[in-house]
C-alpha cells in the first residue's frame, strides 16, 4: 500500500514537473523597459500622432537644455494611452548623418535652439498615419531633420531618411526638400521625391534656381531655372546635403530670363527655353515677357 501511495505521489510530481516545463516553453512578450530620465532631462515637447486605424499615439521628445542657447533630444517615447509602445533613439539619425566613430557624447542629443521646434509631425509616406522628424542641429543652410515613419505591420516607427526643408504635396504624392547648393551656396535646389513599391522615397527630379547665370540675366525674372533628373537606371535616395555628382543627373530643361537694350535705351525681356535635341542642349523657344501687371 505504501509503495502504491509513493508511486502515485511520484507520478503526480512528474506530471506537475511536465506541466511546468510546458509552461516555461510558452513565449513571453517583451515590453519596453520602464522609461527613465537622465540628470537634467524632461519631456521637451509632446505631440499627438493620429494613425490610419483611428488610434492616436502620443510622441514625447525627451531631452534637456544643453546650454543657454540649445536644447537636445535623446529619445522619443511612443505611447498609446498609458502604454509605452516604443522608444526611438535620436542616435540612429545622428549616426546616419555623421557616421560612427566619433566621441560617444556626440551621439547623445540633437541640437535645437528651441524646445518647441525639436520635433515635427507629418505624413511623409501618404499612408494616413503620422510620421515624425527631429531637428538635427544648426546649419548654414536649410535645417536637416531626421525622419521616422510608422510601420503598421510591426506597429513601430522605423528610420526613413534625412531631409532638409521637407514639404508634403498630397495632390501629386510628392515630397519636396529645399536646400542651398553649388559653389558658395549660389544655387537654390528643390528635390522632388516619390515612393517606390516598398514605400521608400526616391528622387524624380531636381529644380535648381541659379542667379547670375548670364551677363544680361534679368535679376527680377526669378533667376535661371534648371530641371535635372536621374540618369536611366540610377536610383537616388534622400541623403544629407552634399554636392550632387553630375553623372547621377542629367539636365533636361533650362529657362533663362534675359533683357536686351536697343539703341534708344528701350529694354525688352525674353524668356529662353533650352532642352536637349539630338543629345545636345539647344534653344527651343524665346518668348517675350514684361514686368507690367
Amino acid at each position: 500500500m505504501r509503495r502504491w501511495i509513493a508511486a502515485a505521489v511520484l507520478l503526480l510530481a512528474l506530471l506537475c514537473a511536465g506541466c511546468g516545463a510546458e509552461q516555461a516553453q510558452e513565449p513571453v512578450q517583451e515590453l519596453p523597459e520602464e522609461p527613465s530620465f537622465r540628470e537634467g532631462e524632461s519631456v521637451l515637447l509632446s505631440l499627438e500622432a493620429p494613425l490610419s486605424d483611428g488610434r492616436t499615439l502620443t510622441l514625447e521628445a525627451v531631452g534637456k537644455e544643453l546650454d543657454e542657447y540649445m536644447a537636445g533630444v535623446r529619445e522619443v517615447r511612443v505611447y498609446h494611452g498609458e502604454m509605452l509602445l516604443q522608444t526611438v533613439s535620436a542616435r540612429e539619425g545622428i549616426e546616419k548623418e555623421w557616421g560612427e566613430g566619433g566621441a560617444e557624447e556626440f551621439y547623445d542629443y540633437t541640437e535645437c535652439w528651441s524646445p518647441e521646434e525639436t520635433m515635427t509631425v507629418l505624413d511623409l509616406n501618404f499612408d494616413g498615419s503620422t510620421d515624425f522628424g527631429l531637428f538635427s542641429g544648426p546649419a548654414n543652410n536649410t535645417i536637416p531633420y531626421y525622419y521616422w515613419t510608422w510601420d503598421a505591420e510591426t506597429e513601430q516607427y522605423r528610420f526613413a531618411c534625412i531631409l532638409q526643408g521637407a514639404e508634403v504635396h498630397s495632390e501629386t504624392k510628392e515630397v519636396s526638400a529645399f536646400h542651398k547648393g553649388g559653389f558658395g551656396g549660389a544655387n537654390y535646389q528643390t528635390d522632388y521625391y516619390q515612393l517606390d513599391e516598398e514605400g521608400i522615397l526616391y528622387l524624380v527630379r531636381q529644380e535648381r534656381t541659379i542667379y547670375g547665370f548670364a551677363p544680361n540675366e534679368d535679376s527680377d525674372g526669378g533667376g535661371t531655372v534648371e530641371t535635372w533628373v536621374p540618369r536611366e537606371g540610377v536610383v537616388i535616395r534622400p541623403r544629407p546635403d552634399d554636392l550632387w555628382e553630375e553623372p547621377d543627373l542629367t539636365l533636361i530643361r533650362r529657362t533663362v530670363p534675359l533683357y536686351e537694350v536697343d539703341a534708344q535705351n528701350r529694354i525688352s525681356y525674353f524668356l529662353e527655353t533650352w532642352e536637349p535635341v539630338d543629345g545636345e542642349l539647344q534653344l527651343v523657344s524665346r518668348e517675350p515677357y514684361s514686368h507690367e501687371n
Side-chain angles (χ1 to χ4, degrees):
M1 183 67 176
R2 291 179 179 177
R3 289 181 179 178
W4 184 87
I5 294 174
V9 171
L10 177 60
L11 178 61
L12 181 61
L14 291 173
L15 289 174
C16 291
C19 292
E22 291 179 1
Q23 291 177 356
Q25 294 175 358
E26 293 181 1
V28 178
Q29 184 178 3
E30 295 185 5
L31 297 175
E33 295 182 5
E34 191 67 22
S36 61
F37 293 89
R38 296 180 182 178
E39 183 179 356
E41 287 188 340
S42 64
V43 176
L44 299 178
L45 182 64
S46 179
L47 298 174
E48 290 188 348
L51 301 180
S52 60
D53 61 10
R55 292 178 296 166
T56 297
L57 306 180
T58 300
L59 307 177
E60 292 187 351
V62 175
K64 66 180 182 179
E65 300 284 344
L66 302 177
D67 53 38
E68 59 180 317
Y69 304 106
M70 293 290 173
V73 174
R74 178 172 60 87
E75 64 185 25
V76 175
R77 297 171 184 172
V78 184
Y79 287 92
H80 181 221
E82 298 297 322
M83 181 183 298
L84 177 65
L85 300 181
Q86 182 185 8
T87 300
V88 179
S89 175
R91 182 189 184 103
E92 185 177 10
I94 298 171
E95 287 184 346
K96 291 290 185 181
E97 182 177 17
W98 299 103
E100 302 179 7
E104 190 64 23
E105 60 271 16
F106 176 77
Y107 301 98
D108 282 347
Y109 296 91
T110 61
E111 293 183 332
C112 182
W113 45 64
S114 167
E116 293 76 22
E117 297 181 66
T118 53
M119 180 171 61
T120 186
V121 292
L122 74 175
D123 184 2
L124 194 64
N125 53 3
F126 310 101
D127 64 354
S129 292
T130 303
D131 310 312
F132 75 90
L134 291 180
F135 187 115
S136 67
N140 185 24
N141 207 318
T142 313
I143 300 299
Y145 275 75
Y146 308 140
Y147 286 101
W148 284 262
T149 54
W150 176 253
D151 187 333
E153 292 186 6
T154 62
E155 296 210 328
Q156 298 275 290
Y157 279 101
R158 65 177 184 178
F159 185 81
C161 59
I162 302 173
L163 290 172
Q164 294 173 266
E167 292 186 10
V168 175
H169 308 276
S170 301
E171 65 283 358
T172 59
K173 294 293 188 293
E174 291 182 325
V175 176
S176 64
F178 172 81
H179 58 96
K180 293 182 292 184
F183 181 76
N187 302 344
Y188 295 85
Q189 301 179 184
T190 303
D191 302 325
Y192 291 88
Y193 298 91
Q194 292 181 351
L195 296 167
D196 63 14
E197 295 179 354
E198 298 180 356
I200 303 175
L201 293 173
Y202 68 96
L203 185 74
V204 292
R205 71 185 183 281
Q206 182 184 94
E207 304 284 348
R208 301 180 184 178
T209 301
I210 308 167
Y211 292 94
F213 178 82
N216 61 329
E217 180 182 275
D218 177 17
S219 60
D220 295 324
T224 296
V225 178
E226 296 182 342
T227 301
W228 295 72
V229 297
R231 295 188 186 276
E232 185 176 357
V234 174
V235 178
I236 299 177
R237 304 294 185 184
R239 53 186 172 182
D241 183 32
D242 59 11
L243 295 177
W244 290 87
E245 298 178 2
E246 293 301 332
D248 287 344
L249 301 171
T250 182
L251 177 63
I252 64 168
R253 183 181 175 88
R254 175 187 291 148
T255 58
V256 187
L258 301 172
Y259 70 89
E260 294 180 353
V261 182
D262 63 18
Q264 286 75 41
N265 286 327
R266 292 175 299 190
I267 300 177
S268 301
Y269 298 96
F270 299 90
L271 183 66
E272 292 187 350
T273 300
W274 296 70
E275 295 178 354
V277 178
D278 297 329
E280 295 185 2
L281 204 64
Q282 298 185 24
L283 179 66
V284 296
S285 68
R286 193 169 191 266
E287 300 293 334
Y289 69 92
S290 71
H291 292 295
E292 296 179 0
N293 295 328

